[in-house]
mmCIF file of all heavy atoms in Angstrom:
data_model
loop_
_atom_site.group_PDB
_atom_site.id
_atom_site.type_symbol
_atom_site.label_atom_id
_atom_site.label_comp_id
_atom_site.label_asym_id
_atom_site.label_seq_id
_atom_site.Cartn_x
_atom_site.Cartn_y
_atom_site.Cartn_z
ATOM 1 N N THR A 316 7.206 15.180 -6.464
ATOM 2 C CA THR A 316 8.255 15.845 -5.570
ATOM 3 C C THR A 316 8.179 15.354 -4.101
ATOM 4 O O THR A 316 9.225 15.225 -3.564
ATOM 5 C CB THR A 316 8.081 17.386 -5.720
ATOM 6 O OG1 THR A 316 8.206 17.830 -6.985
ATOM 7 C CG2 THR A 316 9.202 17.974 -4.840
ATOM 8 N N ALA A 317 6.984 15.317 -3.606
ATOM 9 C CA ALA A 317 6.921 14.979 -2.117
ATOM 10 C C ALA A 317 7.251 13.526 -1.977
ATOM 11 O O ALA A 317 7.986 13.180 -0.912
ATOM 12 C CB ALA A 317 5.387 15.102 -1.811
ATOM 13 N N VAL A 318 7.055 12.683 -2.926
ATOM 14 C CA VAL A 318 7.511 11.230 -2.830
ATOM 15 C C VAL A 318 8.914 11.233 -2.911
ATOM 16 O O VAL A 318 9.725 10.456 -2.242
ATOM 17 C CB VAL A 318 6.804 10.425 -3.898
ATOM 18 C CG1 VAL A 318 7.554 9.003 -3.947
ATOM 19 C CG2 VAL A 318 5.408 10.194 -3.562
ATOM 20 N N GLN A 319 9.595 12.044 -3.805
ATOM 21 C CA GLN A 319 11.071 12.108 -4.037
ATOM 22 C C GLN A 319 11.753 12.544 -2.694
ATOM 23 O O GLN A 319 12.753 11.898 -2.264
ATOM 24 C CB GLN A 319 11.545 13.033 -5.195
ATOM 25 C CG GLN A 319 12.949 13.032 -5.430
ATOM 26 C CD GLN A 319 13.278 13.846 -6.613
ATOM 27 O OE1 GLN A 319 12.569 14.588 -7.137
ATOM 28 N NE2 GLN A 319 14.508 13.803 -7.076
ATOM 29 N N TRP A 320 11.252 13.498 -2.093
ATOM 30 C CA TRP A 320 11.672 13.932 -0.807
ATOM 31 C C TRP A 320 11.556 12.857 0.328
ATOM 32 O O TRP A 320 12.424 12.691 1.126
ATOM 33 C CB TRP A 320 10.974 15.337 -0.445
ATOM 34 C CG TRP A 320 11.303 15.810 0.980
ATOM 35 C CD1 TRP A 320 10.388 15.870 1.979
ATOM 36 C CD2 TRP A 320 12.493 16.255 1.421
ATOM 37 N NE1 TRP A 320 11.044 16.395 3.162
ATOM 38 C CE2 TRP A 320 12.336 16.588 2.852
ATOM 39 C CE3 TRP A 320 13.784 16.456 0.873
ATOM 40 C CZ2 TRP A 320 13.316 17.068 3.663
ATOM 41 C CZ3 TRP A 320 14.770 16.955 1.647
ATOM 42 C CH2 TRP A 320 14.595 17.316 2.963
ATOM 43 N N SER A 321 10.400 12.170 0.255
ATOM 44 C CA SER A 321 10.166 11.184 1.277
ATOM 45 C C SER A 321 11.173 9.976 1.083
ATOM 46 O O SER A 321 11.446 9.269 2.071
ATOM 47 C CB SER A 321 8.768 10.558 1.108
ATOM 48 O OG SER A 321 7.886 11.645 1.538
ATOM 49 N N ARG A 322 11.677 9.801 0.033
ATOM 50 C CA ARG A 322 12.659 8.678 -0.282
ATOM 51 C C ARG A 322 14.051 9.147 0.017
ATOM 52 O O ARG A 322 15.037 8.209 -0.183
ATOM 53 C CB ARG A 322 12.589 8.262 -1.778
ATOM 54 C CG ARG A 322 11.210 7.818 -2.151
ATOM 55 C CD ARG A 322 11.268 7.232 -3.536
ATOM 56 N NE ARG A 322 11.664 5.844 -3.540
ATOM 57 C CZ ARG A 322 11.499 4.880 -4.347
ATOM 58 N NH1 ARG A 322 10.581 5.100 -5.385
ATOM 59 N NH2 ARG A 322 11.877 3.653 -4.194
ATOM 60 N N SER A 323 14.302 10.215 0.538
ATOM 61 C CA SER A 323 15.674 10.753 0.970
ATOM 62 C C SER A 323 16.103 10.350 2.426
ATOM 63 O O SER A 323 15.279 10.186 3.289
ATOM 64 C CB SER A 323 15.727 12.161 0.829
ATOM 65 O OG SER A 323 15.055 12.823 1.892
ATOM 66 N N ARG A 324 17.424 10.314 2.652
ATOM 67 C CA ARG A 324 17.878 10.017 3.997
ATOM 68 C C ARG A 324 17.601 11.183 4.939
ATOM 69 O O ARG A 324 17.429 10.929 6.150
ATOM 70 C CB ARG A 324 19.452 9.820 3.912
ATOM 71 C CG ARG A 324 19.837 8.451 3.127
ATOM 72 C CD ARG A 324 19.430 7.254 4.067
ATOM 73 N NE ARG A 324 20.040 7.293 5.256
ATOM 74 C CZ ARG A 324 21.275 6.887 5.664
ATOM 75 N NH1 ARG A 324 21.919 6.308 4.556
ATOM 76 N NH2 ARG A 324 21.684 6.880 6.754
ATOM 77 N N ARG A 325 17.419 12.396 4.340
ATOM 78 C CA ARG A 325 17.072 13.473 5.311
ATOM 79 C C ARG A 325 15.699 13.261 5.777
ATOM 80 O O ARG A 325 15.476 13.540 7.029
ATOM 81 C CB ARG A 325 16.991 14.835 4.479
ATOM 82 C CG ARG A 325 18.522 15.198 4.040
ATOM 83 C CD ARG A 325 18.403 16.619 3.428
ATOM 84 N NE ARG A 325 19.812 17.054 3.039
ATOM 85 C CZ ARG A 325 19.966 18.209 2.387
ATOM 86 N NH1 ARG A 325 19.046 18.998 2.176
ATOM 87 N NH2 ARG A 325 21.241 18.594 2.191
ATOM 88 N N MET A 326 14.702 12.715 5.162
ATOM 89 C CA MET A 326 13.433 12.467 5.720
ATOM 90 C C MET A 326 13.561 11.367 6.677
ATOM 91 O O MET A 326 12.788 11.373 7.808
ATOM 92 C CB MET A 326 12.493 12.090 4.600
ATOM 93 C CG MET A 326 10.969 12.006 5.100
ATOM 94 S SD MET A 326 10.436 13.483 6.073
ATOM 95 C CE MET A 326 10.243 14.605 4.727
ATOM 96 N N VAL A 327 14.418 10.431 6.575
ATOM 97 C CA VAL A 327 14.705 9.376 7.593
ATOM 98 C C VAL A 327 15.088 10.020 8.918
ATOM 99 O O VAL A 327 14.568 9.703 10.009
ATOM 100 C CB VAL A 327 15.711 8.322 7.166
ATOM 101 C CG1 VAL A 327 16.026 7.482 8.314
ATOM 102 C CG2 VAL A 327 15.299 7.633 6.000
ATOM 103 N N TRP A 328 15.908 10.986 8.789
ATOM 104 C CA TRP A 328 16.374 11.740 10.039
ATOM 105 C C TRP A 328 15.167 12.562 10.728
ATOM 106 O O TRP A 328 15.112 12.641 11.926
ATOM 107 C CB TRP A 328 17.519 12.786 9.686
ATOM 108 C CG TRP A 328 18.707 12.098 9.080
ATOM 109 C CD1 TRP A 328 19.068 10.685 9.235
ATOM 110 C CD2 TRP A 328 19.662 12.698 8.318
ATOM 111 N NE1 TRP A 328 20.187 10.502 8.496
ATOM 112 C CE2 TRP A 328 20.624 11.621 7.926
ATOM 113 C CE3 TRP A 328 19.884 13.957 7.621
ATOM 114 C CZ2 TRP A 328 21.817 11.970 7.116
ATOM 115 C CZ3 TRP A 328 20.858 14.201 6.892
ATOM 116 C CH2 TRP A 328 21.778 13.226 6.553
ATOM 117 N N VAL A 329 14.247 13.053 9.877
ATOM 118 C CA VAL A 329 13.252 13.779 10.362
ATOM 119 C C VAL A 329 12.273 12.812 11.056
ATOM 120 O O VAL A 329 11.851 13.178 12.271
ATOM 121 C CB VAL A 329 12.450 14.409 9.267
ATOM 122 C CG1 VAL A 329 11.053 14.992 9.822
ATOM 123 C CG2 VAL A 329 13.260 15.642 8.527
ATOM 124 N N TYR A 330 11.954 11.606 10.562
ATOM 125 C CA TYR A 330 11.100 10.672 11.325
ATOM 126 C C TYR A 330 11.710 10.336 12.509
ATOM 127 O O TYR A 330 11.112 10.160 13.578
ATOM 128 C CB TYR A 330 10.800 9.525 10.332
ATOM 129 C CG TYR A 330 9.641 9.640 9.383
ATOM 130 C CD1 TYR A 330 9.887 10.104 8.150
ATOM 131 C CD2 TYR A 330 8.354 9.390 9.869
ATOM 132 C CE1 TYR A 330 8.818 10.102 7.227
ATOM 133 C CE2 TYR A 330 7.276 9.496 8.995
ATOM 134 C CZ TYR A 330 7.504 9.828 7.667
ATOM 135 O OH TYR A 330 6.511 9.981 6.763
ATOM 136 N N GLU A 331 13.016 10.016 12.569
ATOM 137 C CA GLU A 331 13.783 9.542 13.619
ATOM 138 C C GLU A 331 13.807 10.678 14.780
ATOM 139 O O GLU A 331 13.740 10.335 15.965
ATOM 140 C CB GLU A 331 15.141 9.100 13.318
ATOM 141 C CG GLU A 331 15.140 7.857 12.490
ATOM 142 C CD GLU A 331 16.587 7.365 12.094
ATOM 143 O OE1 GLU A 331 17.573 8.245 12.098
ATOM 144 O OE2 GLU A 331 16.663 6.029 11.921
ATOM 145 N N ALA A 332 13.775 11.986 14.343
ATOM 146 C CA ALA A 332 13.839 12.918 15.314
ATOM 147 C C ALA A 332 12.511 13.067 16.110
ATOM 148 O O ALA A 332 12.486 13.546 17.272
ATOM 149 C CB ALA A 332 14.183 14.287 14.572
ATOM 150 N N PHE A 333 11.477 12.710 15.424
ATOM 151 C CA PHE A 333 10.155 12.796 16.043
ATOM 152 C C PHE A 333 9.677 11.446 16.574
ATOM 153 O O PHE A 333 8.597 11.362 17.012
ATOM 154 C CB PHE A 333 9.097 13.302 15.002
ATOM 155 C CG PHE A 333 9.120 14.734 14.734
ATOM 156 C CD1 PHE A 333 9.969 15.306 13.791
ATOM 157 C CD2 PHE A 333 8.431 15.570 15.616
ATOM 158 C CE1 PHE A 333 10.029 16.701 13.538
ATOM 159 C CE2 PHE A 333 8.626 17.085 15.333
ATOM 160 C CZ PHE A 333 9.324 17.600 14.355
ATOM 161 N N ASP A 334 10.514 10.476 16.656
ATOM 162 C CA ASP A 334 10.154 9.140 17.058
ATOM 163 C C ASP A 334 9.791 9.093 18.595
ATOM 164 O O ASP A 334 9.311 8.204 19.031
ATOM 165 C CB ASP A 334 11.206 8.027 16.670
ATOM 166 C CG ASP A 334 10.685 6.705 16.711
ATOM 167 O OD1 ASP A 334 9.560 6.532 16.008
ATOM 168 O OD2 ASP A 334 11.273 5.706 17.304
ATOM 169 N N TRP A 335 10.293 10.185 19.249
ATOM 170 C CA TRP A 335 10.091 10.239 20.709
ATOM 171 C C TRP A 335 8.619 10.264 21.068
ATOM 172 O O TRP A 335 8.076 9.796 22.098
ATOM 173 C CB TRP A 335 10.774 11.372 21.276
ATOM 174 C CG TRP A 335 10.384 12.711 20.703
ATOM 175 C CD1 TRP A 335 10.979 13.353 19.684
ATOM 176 C CD2 TRP A 335 9.263 13.532 21.042
ATOM 177 N NE1 TRP A 335 10.359 14.495 19.333
ATOM 178 C CE2 TRP A 335 9.235 14.609 20.162
ATOM 179 C CE3 TRP A 335 8.253 13.391 21.984
ATOM 180 C CZ2 TRP A 335 8.326 15.619 20.223
ATOM 181 C CZ3 TRP A 335 7.281 14.410 22.032
ATOM 182 C CH2 TRP A 335 7.327 15.511 21.205
ATOM 183 N N MET A 336 7.785 10.760 20.117
ATOM 184 C CA MET A 336 6.398 10.921 20.376
ATOM 185 C C MET A 336 5.628 9.692 20.470
ATOM 186 O O MET A 336 4.839 9.446 21.418
ATOM 187 C CB MET A 336 5.763 11.789 19.281
ATOM 188 C CG MET A 336 4.259 12.272 19.658
ATOM 189 S SD MET A 336 3.573 13.304 18.308
ATOM 190 C CE MET A 336 4.766 14.635 18.162
ATOM 191 N N MET A 337 6.027 8.556 19.627
ATOM 192 C CA MET A 337 5.443 7.382 19.725
ATOM 193 C C MET A 337 6.662 6.416 19.507
ATOM 194 O O MET A 337 6.911 5.932 18.340
ATOM 195 C CB MET A 337 4.346 7.060 18.675
ATOM 196 C CG MET A 337 3.127 7.802 19.030
ATOM 197 S SD MET A 337 1.689 7.273 18.004
ATOM 198 C CE MET A 337 2.130 7.912 16.370
ATOM 199 N N LYS A 338 7.350 6.186 20.555
ATOM 200 C CA LYS A 338 8.692 5.540 20.498
ATOM 201 C C LYS A 338 8.626 4.323 19.697
ATOM 202 O O LYS A 338 7.847 3.326 20.044
ATOM 203 C CB LYS A 338 9.311 5.392 21.926
ATOM 204 C CG LYS A 338 10.722 4.961 21.705
ATOM 205 C CD LYS A 338 11.402 5.040 23.206
ATOM 206 C CE LYS A 338 12.859 4.570 23.155
ATOM 207 N NZ LYS A 338 13.621 5.557 22.332
ATOM 208 N N GLY A 339 9.466 4.159 18.637
ATOM 209 C CA GLY A 339 9.549 2.866 17.883
ATOM 210 C C GLY A 339 8.608 2.731 16.748
ATOM 211 O O GLY A 339 8.604 1.739 16.111
ATOM 212 N N GLN A 340 7.577 3.717 16.658
ATOM 213 C CA GLN A 340 6.561 3.517 15.700
ATOM 214 C C GLN A 340 6.966 3.868 14.198
ATOM 215 O O GLN A 340 6.449 3.142 13.376
ATOM 216 C CB GLN A 340 5.501 4.500 15.928
ATOM 217 C CG GLN A 340 4.080 4.220 15.344
ATOM 218 C CD GLN A 340 3.510 2.808 15.584
ATOM 219 O OE1 GLN A 340 3.795 2.295 16.733
ATOM 220 N NE2 GLN A 340 2.697 2.228 14.673
ATOM 221 N N PHE A 341 8.105 4.471 14.060
ATOM 222 C CA PHE A 341 8.528 4.789 12.718
ATOM 223 C C PHE A 341 8.843 3.289 11.999
ATOM 224 O O PHE A 341 8.360 3.077 10.981
ATOM 225 C CB PHE A 341 9.737 5.523 12.645
ATOM 226 C CG PHE A 341 10.418 5.812 11.438
ATOM 227 C CD1 PHE A 341 9.801 5.950 10.221
ATOM 228 C CD2 PHE A 341 11.860 5.737 11.343
ATOM 229 C CE1 PHE A 341 10.432 6.217 8.938
ATOM 230 C CE2 PHE A 341 12.466 5.985 10.104
ATOM 231 C CZ PHE A 341 11.816 6.155 8.932
ATOM 232 N N GLU A 342 9.683 2.549 12.640
ATOM 233 C CA GLU A 342 10.022 1.195 12.038
ATOM 234 C C GLU A 342 8.804 0.230 12.256
ATOM 235 O O GLU A 342 8.700 -0.676 11.392
ATOM 236 C CB GLU A 342 11.256 0.666 12.776
ATOM 237 C CG GLU A 342 12.655 1.407 12.423
ATOM 238 C CD GLU A 342 13.779 0.611 12.862
ATOM 239 O OE1 GLU A 342 13.687 -0.568 13.296
ATOM 240 O OE2 GLU A 342 14.868 1.257 12.733
ATOM 241 N N ALA A 343 8.021 0.527 13.200
ATOM 242 C CA ALA A 343 6.933 -0.373 13.483
ATOM 243 C C ALA A 343 5.972 -0.506 12.243
ATOM 244 O O ALA A 343 5.309 -1.531 12.080
ATOM 245 C CB ALA A 343 6.118 -0.015 14.681
ATOM 246 N N PHE A 344 5.768 0.579 11.490
ATOM 247 C CA PHE A 344 4.964 0.639 10.318
ATOM 248 C C PHE A 344 5.505 -0.491 9.361
ATOM 249 O O PHE A 344 4.738 -1.186 8.722
ATOM 250 C CB PHE A 344 4.857 1.927 9.581
ATOM 251 C CG PHE A 344 4.021 2.993 10.447
ATOM 252 C CD1 PHE A 344 4.406 4.102 10.869
ATOM 253 C CD2 PHE A 344 2.720 2.695 10.616
ATOM 254 C CE1 PHE A 344 3.678 5.028 11.510
ATOM 255 C CE2 PHE A 344 1.864 3.537 11.202
ATOM 256 C CZ PHE A 344 2.420 4.711 11.753
ATOM 257 N N GLY A 345 6.745 -0.559 9.172
ATOM 258 C CA GLY A 345 7.421 -1.575 8.286
ATOM 259 C C GLY A 345 7.072 -2.903 8.828
ATOM 260 O O GLY A 345 6.947 -3.899 8.187
ATOM 261 N N GLN A 346 7.273 -3.101 10.136
ATOM 262 C CA GLN A 346 7.065 -4.479 10.786
ATOM 263 C C GLN A 346 5.590 -4.914 10.651
ATOM 264 O O GLN A 346 5.313 -6.013 10.447
ATOM 265 C CB GLN A 346 7.417 -4.371 12.368
ATOM 266 C CG GLN A 346 8.865 -4.075 12.592
ATOM 267 C CD GLN A 346 9.683 -5.371 12.495
ATOM 268 O OE1 GLN A 346 9.190 -6.470 12.195
ATOM 269 N NE2 GLN A 346 10.983 -5.148 12.787
ATOM 270 N N ARG A 347 4.740 -3.865 10.691
ATOM 271 C CA ARG A 347 3.307 -4.080 10.502
ATOM 272 C C ARG A 347 3.009 -4.659 8.997
ATOM 273 O O ARG A 347 2.199 -5.569 8.949
ATOM 274 C CB ARG A 347 2.566 -2.815 10.735
ATOM 275 C CG ARG A 347 1.096 -2.978 11.142
ATOM 276 C CD ARG A 347 0.544 -1.632 11.593
ATOM 277 N NE ARG A 347 0.132 -0.705 10.574
ATOM 278 C CZ ARG A 347 -0.414 0.513 10.804
ATOM 279 N NH1 ARG A 347 -0.652 0.858 11.998
ATOM 280 N NH2 ARG A 347 -0.627 1.225 9.760
#
């Protein structure tokens, strides 16, 4: 269930909302 929720666009919005804390790090994990 947690994985299914993580695969949703809503969770993308959650990560982006908190990206101010470490700016750019959300997408940086993929770049890494």
Side-chain angles (χ1 to χ4, degrees):
T316 301
V318 166
Q319 184 178 7
W320 171 246
S321 294
R322 302 189 79 155
S323 70
R324 288 293 300 275
R325 289 185 178 180
M326 187 53 74
V327 173
W328 300 336
V329 170
Y330 273 99
E331 290 179 336
F333 283 92
D334 203 47
W335 56 267
M336 192 179 299
M337 292 191 290
K338 192 170 181 59
Q340 193 62 24
F341 174 43
E342 290 192 10
F344 284 119
Q346 297 282 359
R347 202 167 81 175

